[in-house]
Every structure is written in C-alpha cells, then in structure tokens.
Amino acid sequence: MEMIRKIGVMGINFLKSVGQFLVFFMQAIHNWFLPPYYPKILLRQMIEIGFYSLPVVSLTALFSGMVLALQSYSGFSKFSAEGAVATVVIIAIIRELGPVFAGLMVAGRIGATMAASIGTMRVTEQIDALKTLSTNPFKYIVSPRVLAGIIVLPFLVIIADIIGVFGGFLVGVNVLDFNPYVYIKNTYNSLELMDVFVGFVKASVFGGIITSLGCYYGYYTDGGAEGVGKATTNAVVISSILILISNYILTALFFNK
C-alpha cells in the first residue's frame, strides 16, 4: 500500500506540474497581445537566441552532414547504391537532424541561460521589485523570450540545413569522389517544399519549448543558489526530452501515410 501511495503522489505531482506549466505558457502567450510592448527586449532576446547561437549550431550541422555522408556511403556501397547518398543527406538534414540538433544545442545554451538569469532574479527578489513598480513580470521577462524563441529558431534551422547539406557535399566531392554536378543535381531533385515546411514547424515548436521551460523553471526557482542550479538542470533536461518527444509526434503527423 505504501508503494501505491507513493506512485499516486508522484502521479498527482506530475499532473500538477504539467497543469502549472500549461497555465504559465498560456499566460505568456496572452501577454503578447496586451500593452505595454517591449520591442527592444524582444530584439535583444532574438539576437541572444539567434545570433549568438550561430557558432555552435553551425559546427554541429556541418559535422553532422559530413558524418551522415560518410555513414550513408558506407552502407549504400554494399548495395551499389552510392548515388543515393545526396538524397539521404538532404532528407535527413532537412527533416530531422537540422531541427533536432539545432533545438538541442539551443536548449543547452539558451534554456540554461534563461533559467539561471530568471532564477537569480527570483532569489534576489528582483521579480518582486518589478511588481512593486507596477511592471508585469510576464510581459517584461517571460513573453519576449518565448516569442523570440518561436521566431528565431526557424531561421537558425535554415542556416543549419544549408551548412549540414554543404558538409555532406564537401565529403561527397572531396572524400568520396562524387561528381560535383551530379551530387548537386541529386540534392536539388530530392528537395521538397513539404520537408522545408515541416522543418519550420518543428523549429517553432522547439523554440517555444526551450524558452517557455527556461522561463518557467527560472520563474519558480526557490532555495537560493542551489535552487538556481537545479532549475538550470531541469530546464535543459526537460527541454531536450520534450524536443525528442515532440519531434516524433510531428514526424508521425506529417509523414505517417
């Protein structure tokens, strides 16, 4: 009976956390449409999330494309189907690896940063100070970050897709001795607008997950410096898990025929 009680308590706490997060997320969205607006904060967050994440996302995409080309060639050469390497590279990068890897890298960088910065504001009572100054913390802190993540992630994914496909091209031409014209032609023929659209949708969803969870765990931080560290860890881990789960759900919705 004690085990059943513990399982029940865990289930109730889990559902309570999910409900609290959903209310938090809906409140953040609701505040997008209410004045006053803070365009400077939104622009600053877009630069922080997008521009400063470019190096790590670009490197990840480049080497992912290069490794994918090598591994694809290794497998297809057994069936004399080396010409399919370009097709596999662009489909895998655009549909899956570009959005997922970009999301995971941004989650590790931005999710942790947001949770730590907002958590520090919470434990040092800066959020309470905003309330005393008649400033809505959701509008000033949370909403611009969530909106910036949803807007910027698709652009990061576009860049990751281009660099990842280019990495596959470099390996295909310089290491595997493919004809550059044939490789580019196969890549172009395999590119579909539906794949690009799905990548955009995934990127926006991932951006919302990362920023909302980073803000959520930071906003409800307690316990001083230890609490900030815990919030940072939770934001990164839960964001990464939800990115993988939502990636499967979106893939099943769009490509399960």
Side-chain angles (χ1 to χ4, degrees), residues 29-48:
I29 294 176
H30 176 70
N31 278 280
W32 291 348
F33 307 101
L34 300 177
Y37 304 105
Y38 301 99
K40 291 184 178 179
I41 297 178
L42 176 63
L43 179 60
R44 188 186 312 132
Q45 291 302 320
M46 292 175 67
I47 294 172
E48 177 67 26

Side-chain angles (χ1 to χ4, degrees), residues 179-233:
N179 183 289
Y181 173 77
V182 174
Y183 190 97
I184 293 174
K185 183 179 179 181
N186 290 339
T187 299
Y188 178 78
N189 291 335
S190 302
L191 178 63
E192 296 183 5
L193 290 178
M194 183 61 179
D195 295 338
V196 178
F197 172 75
V198 173
F200 270 35
V201 173
K202 288 183 176 182
S204 294
V205 172
F206 298 164
I209 289 173
I210 294 165
T211 50
S212 58
L213 280 172
C215 293
Y216 171 78
Y217 281 107
Y219 195 84
Y220 291 108
T221 297
D222 57 8
E226 183 178 353
V228 173
K230 185 178 179 181
T232 302
T233 302

Side-chain angles (χ1 to χ4, degrees), residues 3-4 16 18 28 39 42 44 54 60 70 78 101 120 134 136 144 147 163 166 168 170 185 194 209 217 225 232 238:
M3 182 178 296
I4 295 175
K16 180 181 177 181
V18 171
L42 176 63
R44 188 186 312 132
L54 273 176
T60 303
L70 286 175
K78 299 177 182 179
F101 282 174
T120 302
S134 299
N136 187 341
L147 182 59
I163 294 176
F166 179 68
L170 288 178
K185 183 179 179 181
M194 183 61 179
I209 289 173
Y217 281 107
T232 302
I238 302 301

Side-chain angles (χ1 to χ4, degrees), residues 4-87:
I4 295 175
R5 187 189 68 81
K6 290 181 179 179
I7 294 174
V9 171
M10 290 175 60
I12 292 173
N13 290 336
F14 172 76
L15 293 176
K16 180 181 177 181
S17 298
V18 171
Q20 187 179 31
F21 171 71
L22 290 177
V23 171
F24 180 89
F25 182 67
M26 294 306 297
Q27 191 172 354
I29 294 176
H30 176 70
N31 278 280
W32 291 348
F33 307 101
L34 300 177
Y37 304 105
Y38 301 99
K40 291 184 178 179
I41 297 178
L42 176 63
L43 179 60
R44 188 186 312 132
Q45 291 302 320
M46 292 175 67
I47 294 172
E48 177 67 26
I49 297 171
F51 182 75
Y52 292 133
S53 296
L54 273 176
V56 64
V57 170
S58 299
L59 282 174
T60 303
L62 177 65
F63 285 100
S64 296
M66 295 169 71
V67 170
L68 184 60
L70 286 175
Q71 293 285 19
S72 300
Y73 181 83
S74 176
F76 287 130
S77 61
K78 299 177 182 179
F79 307 99
S80 300
E82 295 88 344
V85 170
T87 301

